[in-house]
Amino acid sequence: MLLFGFASLAHAELPASRIALGVQLGAKFEQVKNVFGVPDRVTKNEVKSEAYGDFVETTFIYGNNSIVVKFYNEDAWRIESNSDNGWRTPDGVTVGMPLQGLYDRLGKEDIKSPAENGETLYWYNHDTRSQVNRGNLYVFVKNGRVSRVVIAYQ
């Protein structure tokens, strides 16, 4: 009986067009540079992974970690905004906005859980009906305001 209760819950499940931060996941090096400019710092690490295979993770860092873009080989797999830098999602979610502004734009989160540094994670899942994982939107809130915005594959 409890299983049916979970099945009836409404979830935000965002379409791919709403899961972006300057660019969408899967963007190539040049696309990211066209939007954010030349990175202030670039790091490269060889990653050994049973789940994903061995790959090179390249990280573009802008400002003082204000924007960080991580690449799986040459495809962006994580994009994060860590300061009130003007970058926002297509729905207007940005660092510094009040929690109510997040709810006004996106509605109720799919998952809410404690995170590090006293933050709370508000997780908005991709539209699972599309059968294609275009990533998820993770919004971190501290003291009633958005402290980080991350889009990434799960």
Side-chain angles (χ1 to χ4, degrees):
M1 199 57 121
L2 185 60
L3 182 62
F4 292 112
F6 284 123
S8 67
L9 290 176
H11 295 286
E13 293 200 347
L14 301 175
S17 62
R18 294 174 66 189
I19 300 175
L21 192 61
V23 294
Q24 287 187 300
L25 296 174
K28 305 290 185 193
F29 292 154
E30 287 308 310
Q31 292 170 302
V32 171
K33 287 178 184 177
N34 285 339
V35 171
F36 295 115
V38 175
D40 296 311
R41 195 163 43 113
V42 176
T43 64
K44 288 184 183 264
N45 295 306
E46 289 187 27
V47 177
K48 304 240 182 247
S49 169
E50 289 184 28
Y52 300 106
D54 298 350
F55 65 96
V56 174
E57 181 180 74
T58 302
T59 304
F60 286 5
I61 301 165
Y62 295 89
N64 189 18
N65 288 331
S66 179
I67 292 284
V68 177
V69 183
K70 293 185 178 227
F71 297 87
Y72 173 92
N73 292 324
E74 293 188 18
D75 300 311
W77 75 268
R78 180 183 176 97
I79 304 165
E80 57 186 88
S81 176
N82 297 303
S83 66
D84 189 0
N85 52 29
W87 289 101
R88 55 190 71 238
T89 69
D91 291 301
V93 175
T94 190
V95 172
M97 74 183 321
L99 175 60
Q100 186 58 51
L102 172 68
Y103 280 136
D104 291 346
R105 286 164 175 78
L106 299 179
K108 184 168 173 31
E109 69 284 340
D110 293 301
I111 298 170
K112 177 181 174 184
S113 66
E116 57 206 29
N117 302 321
E119 293 175 310
T120 301
L121 167 62
Y122 294 78
W123 175 340
Y124 292 86
N125 203 14
H126 66 280
D127 183 356
T128 55
R129 293 172 300 212
S130 73
Q131 302 298 314
V132 177
N133 184 350
R134 299 289 182 203
N136 300 307
L137 173 63
Y138 305 96
V139 181
F140 295 84
V141 174
K142 187 172 185 176
N143 299 324
R145 294 204 166 272
V146 172
S147 54
R148 290 188 288 151
V149 178
V150 177
I151 62 169
Y153 294 114
Q154 190 170 335

